[in-house]
Amino acid sequence: MSTSTLTKLGPSGTFNHGALASGRAFDARDFVTNDSILGLQREGGYIWGTLRDDEGTLYSTMRRIAPTPPGARDDGRQSLGGRHILVSTGTGREGMQLRKEPRYAVDSSAIGIELTDANTTTLSSAPDADGNPMQLVLSENAFRYSEGSVIEMTGSLVASPLQWYLPGRDASLLYLSQTWLVEGEVTGKPARGFLFWEEAWMYPGGRLYMEKDPLHDAEYLTWYSWANHWEDGSCEIGHFLFGQNDFHVAVTADSDGNISSAASMDINVVRASDGYWHDGIAYTIDGVDWVCEPDPEGHMRGLGQMPNPQQEGRIHRVNDTRQPDLYMAWGETVPAAGNSRRR
């Protein structure tokens, strides 16, 4: 096995930020266990994704559910905290703006989790908790998610669950994900889209984006998760990440059961004139050209100024001319990390 030529080698245990990625079996017990995986513990779970209503309005939603109280930090760097967040287009302001509907949502600290049958996990708010109730049912064959009257979605798993692992001596990250194709209502309007349940596993004291996060050590440039669905019922999903030295993840799965993890990856981010947003990302993955085309209205401005601005778009192979009937690509770039890397 050959490796890239490096001008600076990392210390023992970092593997030059080389990552592993693959498919995995769905097992609802993973979501409730307190046992460590690879010496790591659950940092938090994330229910998130992107929906479109019948009028084409774009909605992106996220909630972090963590084993530690969301108010434990008092330095203003909450990284979601316990809030339910919903941003959308169509507010009369530019880009995707925060919606007011979730303001009465229950805090994540009031949400419990249990294995409700052999392969189903249910997360739900306590009956006496302040705020609108929340429930999330995760199963291989059934999915339900509700946030009071703000979101009501049901769906099915579209492809194999995925995982990627970035090792490190002082910071390490195992990321578990699964993707459901969903339909229902958002803010009272019929909508369809994709929702993910993902978990970050880190060293004790680790916090995604904040503490003991190996993505910082790898000086990551971009992280995108995406899904495409076509009228014939087929679907493809993936996660694309890229950074310094050997760090890259390009793992995909489709509804036919195919799973791939790339050996090589190059990238070029076309930065917008403001130097903050991007106008597109070009990937070469195992010799195949891919592209991320940003949605003109997909700037998540309602989240405020961030070191990793969030954008919606569409990711596909350059030579794939099919037009999906439903798609999403929610991700980020890090302007401070530069725009292109080639190995």
Side-chain angles (χ1 to χ4, degrees):
M1 178 180 177
S2 63
T3 59
S4 55
T5 300
L6 302 174
T7 58
K8 181 181 179 181
L9 295 175
S12 301
T14 63
F15 300 95
N16 296 318
H17 309 305
L20 297 173
S22 74
R24 41 177 275 274
F26 182 93
D27 189 344
R29 293 171 297 181
D30 288 342
F31 309 142
V32 299
T33 182
N34 290 319
D35 296 338
S36 65
I37 303 178
L38 299 172
L40 309 177
Q41 65 182 27
R42 184 185 294 104
E43 178 270 349
Y46 298 82
I47 175 66
W48 69 278
T50 296
L51 311 165
R52 284 179 169 82
D53 67 22
D54 290 348
E55 299 173 350
T57 302
L58 189 64
Y59 303 82
S60 291
T61 179
M62 178 176 277
R63 179 193 277 274
R64 175 178 183 265
I65 302 172
T68 54
R73 300 184 65 99
D74 59 5
D75 58 7
R77 300 168 63 235
Q78 279 293 312
S79 180
L80 294 182
R83 297 178 297 159
H84 171 219
I85 294 174
L86 182 67
V87 294
S88 82
T89 58
T91 65
R93 300 172 61 193
E94 188 177 6
M96 303 182 73
Q97 299 289 340
L98 280 173
R99 302 286 300 224
K100 296 180 180 179
E101 289 88 345
R103 65 188 179 278
Y104 299 120
V106 67
D107 192 275
S108 291
S109 61
I111 294 173
I113 183 170
E114 61 179 337
L115 196 67
T116 45
D117 66 33
N119 208 18
T120 301
T121 290
T122 299
L123 298 92
S124 58
S125 55
D128 58 350
D130 292 335
N132 292 330
M134 175 272 191
Q135 185 182 62
L136 174 63
V137 178
L138 303 170
S139 170
E140 188 171 13
N141 300 313
F143 171 96
R144 296 195 306 275
Y145 178 44
S146 62
E147 290 277 1
S149 60
V150 180
I151 292 177
E152 290 277 356
M153 288 286 155
T154 60
S156 57
L157 204 63
V158 296
S160 167
L162 298 174
Q163 62 183 344
W164 55 268
Y165 172 56
L166 177 57
R169 182 169 179 163
D170 302 310
S172 190
L173 175 61
L174 171 66
Y175 209 79
L176 308 178
S177 75
Q178 38 273 306
T179 309
W180 286 268
L181 174 68
V182 301
E183 63 180 356
E185 290 189 350
V186 57
T187 65
K189 297 180 179 180
R192 299 171 66 218
F194 297 93
L195 291 175
F196 298 71
W197 174 252
E198 299 185 337
E199 292 188 344
W201 289 69
M202 305 176 76
Y203 287 140
R207 180 75 182 264
L208 198 63
Y209 293 119
M210 291 185 176
E211 309 290 345
K212 298 184 181 180
D213 187 341
L215 291 173
H216 295 160
D217 299 335
E219 297 181 48
Y220 84 105
L221 171 59
T222 182
W223 177 359
Y224 259 90
S225 297
W226 56 271
N228 294 316
H229 182 273
W230 292 276
E231 289 185 353
D232 64 3
S234 61
C235 190
E236 185 175 31
I237 64 174
H239 304 292
F240 289 175
L241 300 93
F242 195 88
Q244 284 279 19
N245 296 339
D246 289 334
F247 178 55
H248 71 266
V249 172
V251 59
T252 65
D254 65 32
S255 51
D256 291 330
N258 299 305
I259 303 168
S260 68
S261 178
S264 66
M265 186 176 185
D266 290 325
I267 189 171
N268 182 63
V269 178
V270 179
R271 193 63 59 187
S273 58
D274 61 8
Y276 183 68
W277 305 104
H278 75 79
D279 285 340
I281 305 174
Y283 307 88
T284 300
I285 300 171
D286 284 348
V288 177
D289 292 332
W290 292 69
V291 64
C292 176
E293 300 169 337
D295 189 296
E297 293 296 316
H299 301 162
M300 299 189 190
R301 298 180 184 274
L303 300 180
Q305 196 79 4
M306 308 170 68
N308 54 336
Q310 309 288 300
Q311 288 183 244
E312 255 293 338
R314 178 186 166 211
I315 286 180
H316 63 95
R317 295 170 186 82
V318 171
N319 65 0
D320 188 348
T321 58
R322 294 176 297 169
Q323 294 298 313
D325 64 347
L326 189 63
Y327 61 90
M328 62 82 63
W330 180 348
E332 61 196 57
T333 60
V334 182
N339 295 332
S340 65
R341 305 265 167 79
R342 303 196 73 83
R343 299 186 178 119

